Amino acid sequence: MNQNLYISGKYLNERPNWHSEDSKWKAENILKILNKNLLTPKHITEVGCGAGEILKSLYQNMSKDCIFNGY
């Protein structure tokens, strides 16, 4: 992997919103999987969450007892 893509700022320049436009769709599909399998997690962690928009959408649509972390 070419780490210079990230260090140089090229990645951010080419993707200023960190792909956040896809986040709602991704969160909707995660929620479908959780509901289909009758899962009610108490803690969700996303590694590599970018701007955090998937977590934000999940937070808005899940139990307020669930703890969300992004790294």
Side-chain angles (χ1 to χ4, degrees):
M1 178 170 80
N2 183 358
Q3 294 178 354
N4 191 43
L5 174 69
Y6 302 103
I7 295 169
S8 69
K10 181 178 178 183
Y11 183 89
L12 180 58
N13 286 335
E14 292 178 3
R15 298 160 191 87
N17 57 5
W18 297 91
H19 300 283
S20 61
E21 66 275 6
D22 300 328
S23 298
K24 183 178 179 186
W25 177 83
K26 291 176 182 179
E28 288 171 354
N29 283 282
I30 293 168
L31 290 168
K32 285 179 190 176
I33 292 168
L34 293 174
N35 291 330
K36 178 181 177 182
N37 292 285
L38 304 175
L39 298 172
T40 54
K42 298 293 181 198
H43 198 129
I44 293 182
T45 299
E46 182 182 3
V47 177
C49 65
E53 291 296 317
I54 296 171
L55 288 173
K56 178 182 174 184
S57 187
L58 291 173
Y59 173 79
Q60 292 171 339
N61 291 283
M62 293 180 65
S63 169
K64 298 308 176 210
D65 295 337
C66 188
I67 298 169
F68 297 86
N69 290 304
Y71 300 96

